[in-house]
Amino acid sequence: MEISSFTDGGYEDGLYVLPPLPYNAAALEAVLDAETVRLHHGKHHAAYVAGANSAAAQLRLISLAERDENEVAEATQKLTFNLSGHILHCLYWHSLSPVSQVITMTDAAAAICRQFGSYDGFCRVFKSAALSVQGNGWAVLGLDLMSGRLVVNAVQNHQNALLPGLYPILACDVWEHAYYLRYRNNRAAYVEAFMRHIDWVGVARRYNNITLKCHECR
Ligand code: MN3
């Protein structure tokens, strides 16, 4: 059985790579302008890919005793920051849909209603998480593999306050580079637009893929 993942194309031949956008940069015009999407993907996301490769290479050299082991703390922090950034950006592009979608009755939607009381309850929690991030970060919806429950995390930077083992199925980038050209300092307006353009088909697919592998989810 082939299980496609939002990280497909993000790692090839021993290196992290920048996967192409799943749509044209101008396709998200209803929520994000093409320049923002191009810069975000081609500069910011690409920089995390480069940073992850650089940190991974540094760690390999330390393990071969070709670099000083005192560099481990710096290298692991660099890898965690940049690789988390790479993974979350891969998910971000797949979290957005060029066309406005309403949530339909899927297993993922049923799980959202079970966990948050209703779709509106989920929106309240997810939007509040996105707005609660101080400075740079993310709102992430994911599956806690221990309980099989959906959890919303308000992530600082790319890697802090993220539940260990959380399998993310939806991510909203609230770093200013994600929205500042069009929305300026109005993060709330950007998050509202994001909510109207969530790719619920993709969320449902990711939810189904991971619950197939998770004992507690059935
Ligand atoms: Mn970003």
Side-chain angles (χ1 to χ4, degrees):
M1 175 174 47
E2 188 189 337
I3 297 183
S4 71
S5 160
F6 63 88
T7 55
D8 283 354
Y11 184 80
E12 283 170 12
D13 300 329
L15 286 175
Y16 299 107
V17 293
L18 181 68
L21 287 169
Y23 32 66
N24 190 291
L28 296 175
E29 189 57 41
V31 52
L32 290 167
D33 56 281
E35 188 182 7
T36 293
V37 174
R38 245 181 247 115
L39 283 170
H40 197 173
H41 178 256
K43 300 291 183 190
H44 294 273
H45 186 171
Y48 301 128
V49 173
N53 282 321
S54 157
Q58 188 180 356
L59 283 163
R60 269 194 301 277
L61 291 175
I62 295 168
S63 67
L64 295 170
E66 291 176 19
R67 292 280 284 262
D68 196 289
E69 66 255 39
N70 290 331
E71 293 180 19
V72 164
E74 176 216 324
T76 54
Q77 280 171 25
K78 190 171 151 191
L79 182 72
T80 305
F81 174 81
N82 285 284
L83 182 52
S84 300
H86 180 27
I87 292 167
L88 285 176
H89 281 90
C90 288
L91 177 58
Y92 177 68
W93 304 122
H94 286 277
S95 292
L96 281 161
S97 165
V99 292
S100 185
Q101 289 187 16
V102 290
I103 189 167
T104 53
M105 217 5 105
T106 59
D107 289 347
I112 283 170
C113 291
R114 251 194 330 271
Q115 190 58 37
F116 301 97
S118 63
Y119 171 69
D120 288 345
F122 159 72
C123 290
R124 208 155 32 243
V125 171
F126 192 83
K127 284 193 283 191
S128 298
L131 297 182
S132 76
V133 172
Q134 291 183 312
N136 300 320
W138 298 76
V140 172
L141 172 70
L143 195 73
D144 163 27
L145 299 179
M146 179 181 277
S147 65
R149 290 184 180 184
L150 290 170
V151 174
V152 168
N153 277 180
V155 178
Q156 303 289 333
N157 289 329
H158 303 309
Q159 77 282 27
N160 297 326
L162 189 60
L163 188 71
L166 189 81
Y167 184 87
I169 61 172
L170 174 69
C172 179
D173 189 342
V174 295
W175 285 57
E176 283 184 346
H177 65 230
Y179 61 88
Y180 211 81
L181 289 184
R182 177 178 290 184
Y183 298 94
R184 301 299 174 190
N185 60 335
N186 194 348
R187 187 192 292 179
Y190 156 67
V191 172
E192 283 294 340
F194 176 94
M195 298 303 288
R196 287 194 298 274
H197 286 82
I198 291 174
D199 181 1
W200 286 113
V201 175
V203 171
R205 188 169 53 238
R206 287 187 285 280
Y207 180 82
N208 287 341
N209 286 347
I210 190 60
T211 50
L212 283 174
K213 299 178 182 170
C214 166
H215 291 305
E216 300 302 328
C217 302
R218 293 276 156 182

